[in-house]
Amino acid sequence: MNEPFDEPRKDGWLTRWYRHRWVRVVMLVLAIPTALTLVFAIVLWQRFGSDRAVEYAAVEEHFKYGSTGGERASGFPYWIFKAMPGVCSQHLPGGYASLGFVYEEGKDLPIGMSMRNYQGIDRTFLNCAVCHVSTVRDTPESKPRIVLGMPANTFNLFGFQKFVFDCVRDPKFSTETIVAEIERLMTDKGEKLGLLDRYLVYPVAVALMRERLLMLYGRLGPLLQDTEWGPGRTDTFNPNKILFNFPLNEIPERERNAAVDFPSIWLQKPRQGMQLHWDGNNVMSEERNKNAAFGTGTTPPTIDLAAIGRLEEWLLTAEPLKYPYPIDANKSARGGEIYTQYCAGCHGADGRNFSAPIGTQTRECVNTTVSDDDLYGPQVGKITRIEDIGTDSHRLDSFSYDVAVHLGTVYAGYPHRYCHYRKTFGYANMPLDGIWLRAPYLHNGSVPTMRALLEPASKRPLLFYRGNDVYDARDLGFVFDVAEQAGRRFSAYDTTKPGNSNAGHEGKAYGTELSAGDKDALVEFLKTF
């Protein structure tokens, strides 16, 4: 039986319209630029949509060169950073090395500088290690030991900031001179600057960098009129006031000149619950660490919490380098008895045995009010009132009640909002682990050696030099009485200038009335820390 004939096909109007050849030609013509636009968009996204930090498997390398997220908002384009010393050589004749950056052999960037490819360009900026890594040498000719976690006693952050601001305000900081220097540097490395970078990326980067840094200079500039910090020091909280729109040129004089030494950052686990920062204004290391990350260019939206968390975990148990020079065992034993009598009540039994002064604090923003009895007193991690310790008060005054209140707004809306900052009225009693690496001493680094700290202020050096990494094994400190050594120039520290006073930590309770022999013995015992 035959199959019935198929019914005639009734095509829709769209199908009939598409059968016209001219329609297909028009659609093809329209499709080509659309496809090219899509391909171009993909290429642009691959180039300018990037956000990749250089990562390191070993936590020590991550500490030295890993990102905290600061390159996103504050990073310098890598090649501009490399070009600046050449373009602005009159402002930094010795290059970055003259600022006390620590370089490892074979490394292109100094320790404390991280790298991230963000928005299509390699960017670099400071990380935690720039303030917490330094070197120790036995003699001026010795190879330096790189020590992680110690105060960066050679790094001149004040000088670095001044150079950057001086350079971007110089007429030489222009597209023509910067790009020419970049091309020279790349040629020396066997690389070539592409056309897109030459005519678009770097001209835009130079303009944006200049605009941003000039804006920052307009706000931070008043601090550069203060007493120069010199190597190994920073003003911790006055720059924070920029976040809260405090006009720095109008803050009270007592809050100015508040530079302090970079602290050591090892052995954080036994410090939990203690009053942290020099003035003991917080008990939560996580809040302190996030606030410190502002110094590495991070902001609440850009901070890399995973990267910082990795460092926090490592630093819980990271150990200071053991004292590498001979110790007189008999003298040290005698010094141990003196230490127990005069020092242990505030600084712990020894370099590892810390006492727990305060009950464990919680991370939640609950009622954290504690009585003065919980904060102040002769115990490690508690606070000695300023009228008792008698040291320079500028750092204490710089952290005002207003700053404590405003810090409570940082990270508002985030689960890690600050809620433990408070105003205090003295300086915290610190554990002394690795104390041999933490010279100069007192919170503002105004006493060059431990032996000098055991003298009354009237007998401590009035003028000395900071930035030397050659060690003085006798007096427990770095060589401080030479202005220049092996081609390296050091910074003069004048204790008569505002914020630099070497007074305080004096009297019978602080060992300054001991005999010379007892003082020497005490110093010998501290070498075991």
Side-chain angles (χ1 to χ4, degrees):
M1 187 173 181
N2 294 331
E3 295 289 336
F5 291 107
D6 292 335
E7 291 291 330
R9 294 172 60 186
K10 297 180 179 180
D11 296 331
W13 68 270
L14 186 60
T15 302
R16 293 194 303 272
W17 176 72
Y18 183 71
R19 286 175 182 165
H20 293 288
R21 183 177 180 182
W22 67 269
V23 172
R24 294 196 297 272
V25 171
V26 169
M27 293 186 67
L28 180 61
V29 170
L30 293 175
I32 290 174
T34 301
L36 291 175
T37 300
L38 180 61
V39 170
F40 185 64
I42 293 173
V43 170
L44 287 179
W45 175 253
Q46 288 178 337
R47 171 66 197 269
F48 296 106
S50 58
D51 186 6
R52 300 184 305 275
V54 178
E55 298 180 352
Y56 301 87
V59 68
E60 294 84 359
E61 293 300 302
H62 173 66
F63 174 62
K64 289 187 289 186
Y65 300 106
S67 170
T68 58
E71 309 91 350
R72 293 179 175 125
S74 306
F76 298 159
Y78 166 80
W79 282 111
I80 296 180
F81 173 77
K82 297 287 288 184
M84 287 173 70
V87 170
C88 300
S89 58
Q90 72 275 26
H91 300 299
L92 194 68
Y96 290 126
S98 67
L99 295 171
F101 280 103
V102 177
Y103 283 85
E104 288 188 287
E105 187 175 351
K107 295 289 187 179
D108 187 41
L109 288 171
I111 291 175
M113 298 287 295
S114 56
M115 180 88 81
R116 178 185 293 267
N117 188 281
Y118 183 63
Q119 295 180 336
I121 193 168
D122 286 334
R123 305 182 186 214
T124 185
F125 202 64
L126 310 177
N127 69 9
C128 302
V130 77
C131 299
H132 304 292
V133 171
S134 195
T135 54
V136 178
R137 290 182 297 158
D138 301 334
T139 69
E141 294 76 28
S142 300
K143 183 177 180 179
R145 300 180 185 88
I146 295 175
V147 183
L148 308 189
M150 72 174 284
N153 66 303
T154 66
F155 175 55
N156 192 337
L157 179 59
F158 187 98
F160 177 63
Q161 292 178 344
K162 188 175 185 301
F163 164 69
V164 169
F165 289 136
D166 286 345
C167 186
V168 298
R169 290 183 297 135
D170 193 297
K172 292 182 179 179
F173 193 88
S174 65
T175 297
E176 292 75 20
T177 53
I178 292 288
V179 169
E181 180 67 5
I182 289 174
E183 288 183 318
R184 185 188 71 80
L185 293 172
M186 293 185 75
T187 299
D188 290 345
K189 293 185 66 173
E191 301 180 26
K192 187 176 181 180
L193 191 64
L195 292 178
L196 184 64
D197 289 326
R198 173 67 179 82
Y199 293 105
L200 176 63
V201 173
Y202 279 100
V204 171
V206 168
L208 290 177
M209 185 172 172
R210 183 196 303 111
E211 180 182 3
R212 182 177 180 85
L213 287 172
L214 289 177
M215 178 274 295
L216 187 60
Y217 174 74
R219 305 187 69 184
L220 193 62
L223 289 185
L224 298 179
Q225 309 306 314
D226 287 352
T227 302
E228 289 197 18
W229 308 341
R233 301 207 306 164
T234 186
D235 188 329
T236 308
F237 284 101
N238 277 324
N240 274 204
K241 295 173 184 177
I242 296 175
L243 297 173
F244 312 124
N245 293 317
F246 287 28
L248 295 186
N249 59 333
E250 296 180 15
I251 61 175
E253 192 63 32
R254 68 178 184 277
E255 297 181 20
R256 302 283 293 268
N257 298 294
V260 294
D261 266 22
F262 299 131
S264 63
I265 56 173
W266 46 61
L267 288 175
Q268 292 300 305
K269 187 173 184 179
R271 285 173 163 78
Q272 291 180 346
M274 294 181 182
Q275 300 300 130
L276 305 172
H277 277 134
W278 288 110
D279 60 341
N281 61 26
N282 203 316
V283 295
M284 293 302 300
S285 61
E286 293 89 349
E287 291 187 12
R288 177 204 57 194
N289 296 343
K290 289 179 179 63
N291 195 67
F294 282 127
T296 67
T298 67
T299 62
T302 65
I303 189 170
D304 192 329
L305 293 177
I308 292 176
R310 186 182 177 195
L311 298 178
E312 288 174 334
E313 183 68 23
W314 172 61
L315 290 171
L316 290 175
T317 56
E319 291 267 346
L321 178 69
K322 290 184 178 180
Y323 188 77
Y325 308 109
I327 298 175
D328 186 319
N330 292 331
K331 186 184 289 187
S332 175
R334 178 184 165 201
E337 296 174 357
I338 298 169
Y339 176 87
T340 300
Q341 179 180 353
Y342 287 90
C343 313
C346 289
H347 298 293
D350 55 40
R352 297 297 180 275
N353 183 5
F354 311 155
S355 55
I358 304 173
T360 302
Q361 302 289 323
T362 60
R363 296 187 184 186
E364 293 78 14
C365 282
V366 296
N367 182 8
T368 57
T369 301
V370 291
S371 68
D372 278 359
D373 290 339
D374 291 324
L375 286 176
Y376 300 95
Q379 194 172 346
V380 61
K382 287 192 177 183
I383 297 168
T384 298
R385 292 182 180 275
I386 188 63
E387 55 265 29
D388 296 327
I389 190 69
T391 50
D392 192 293
S393 64
H394 284 75
R395 164 61 183 82
L396 176 65
D397 293 336
S398 73
F399 189 83
S400 63
Y401 176 79
D402 286 341
V403 174
V405 170
H406 279 78
L407 280 170
T409 67
V410 177
Y411 292 106
Y414 292 82
H416 40 273
R417 178 179 181 176
Y418 296 165
C419 49
H420 292 85
Y421 278 102
R422 62 174 293 166
K423 173 61 183 169
T424 70
F425 302 96
Y427 291 113
N429 306 320
M430 301 288 186
L432 302 184
D433 46 316
I435 191 63
W436 71 278
L437 289 164
R438 290 157 60 177
Y441 299 104
L442 295 183
H443 70 277
N444 59 352
S446 58
V447 184
T449 68
M450 183 59 68
R451 185 63 179 80
L453 183 62
L454 294 175
E455 297 294 339
S458 61
K459 294 185 178 180
R460 295 168 184 170
L462 283 176
L463 179 72
F464 62 94
Y465 295 91
R466 294 188 57 130
N468 201 336
D469 63 350
V470 176
Y471 204 73
D472 176 358
R474 184 189 67 181
D475 290 341
L476 215 62
F478 295 94
V479 172
F480 65 88
D481 55 356
V482 293
E484 186 173 354
Q485 192 176 69
R488 302 175 67 182
R489 296 182 62 84
F490 308 116
S491 297
Y493 186 103
D494 185 347
T495 60
T496 66
K497 290 186 176 181
N500 285 4
S501 172
N502 64 0
H505 205 275
E506 300 173 75
K508 183 176 181 180
Y510 296 101
T512 59
E513 297 180 8
L514 293 169
S515 68
D518 284 348
K519 291 175 182 178
D520 291 341
L522 179 54
V523 168
E524 200 71 13
F525 177 65
L526 291 172
K527 296 175 182 179
T528 67
F529 282 39

